Amino acid sequence: MTVDQIDRELLARLQEDATQSYAALGEAVGLSAGAAHERVRKLKAAGVIRRTTAEVDPAALGAGVLAYVLLDAESWMGDEPTADALRAIPAVEEAHVIAGPASILVKVRTISTEQLQATLRALHQVDGVTSTQTVVVLESFFERPPAVM
């Protein structure tokens, strides 16, 4: 699917507020409500829009401890069993196979440093993990969705 400028404008507006009506979306980009709906449907069908969610403030739910953990491994970790094992740890929000100082980078969010410690223990239990390096975030200036260019 080719994403044109109107699609990009729709995507940017949806990232700001995915609850707005198709009429409002269409008006903002010069389309009818039906045409805006059809474009959004096609973007979903093509996988450009993966899902529609609500952005929740983790600190408001008590999950104020954010850390990034580098996982070292004895062998290649970029396979489905590793992904499944990481997905099974509730505090792991993201997992990425990386090039650099480790094999995998995970983003972890917990309610306490004690829970972070338990999560690190669980990460050490993942088959192939030999060590971890953890960076705890003290303050976040901002987080934003991917830019629609």
Side-chain angles (χ1 to χ4, degrees), residues 7-148:
D7 292 330
R8 292 177 193 286
E9 290 176 34
L10 286 169
L11 291 167
R13 291 187 174 279
L14 287 168
Q15 283 182 310
E16 288 174 22
D17 179 7
T19 65
Q20 54 192 309
S21 69
Y22 291 115
L25 284 171
E27 183 178 330
V29 299
L31 296 175
S32 69
H37 181 262
E38 182 61 17
R39 281 189 178 243
V40 170
R41 186 195 64 73
K42 286 180 180 178
L43 290 165
K44 286 179 181 179
V48 176
I49 297 174
R50 293 189 292 195
R51 61 187 174 155
T52 304
T53 64
E55 185 177 338
V56 177
D57 179 2
L61 299 177
V65 178
L66 172 61
Y68 291 89
V69 184
L70 293 166
L71 306 179
D72 288 322
E74 58 194 19
S75 62
W76 176 252
M77 300 286 289
D79 55 17
E80 206 51 40
T82 301
D84 290 342
L86 295 172
R87 198 176 288 114
I89 302 170
V92 174
E93 290 188 348
E94 298 177 12
H96 309 274
V97 175
I98 63 169
S103 299
I104 295 179
L105 172 69
V106 295
K107 179 181 178 182
V108 173
R109 201 175 296 269
T110 64
I111 62 171
S112 66
T113 56
E114 292 81 12
Q115 188 182 29
L116 174 59
Q117 186 176 10
T119 300
L120 292 172
R121 281 192 196 104
L123 289 169
H124 275 278
Q125 297 303 310
V126 172
D127 192 37
V129 172
T130 57
S131 67
T132 63
Q133 296 176 27
T134 304
V135 176
V136 176
V137 175
L138 299 177
E139 179 181 359
S140 295
F141 291 125
F142 63 88
E143 295 181 55
R144 64 175 146 216
V148 181

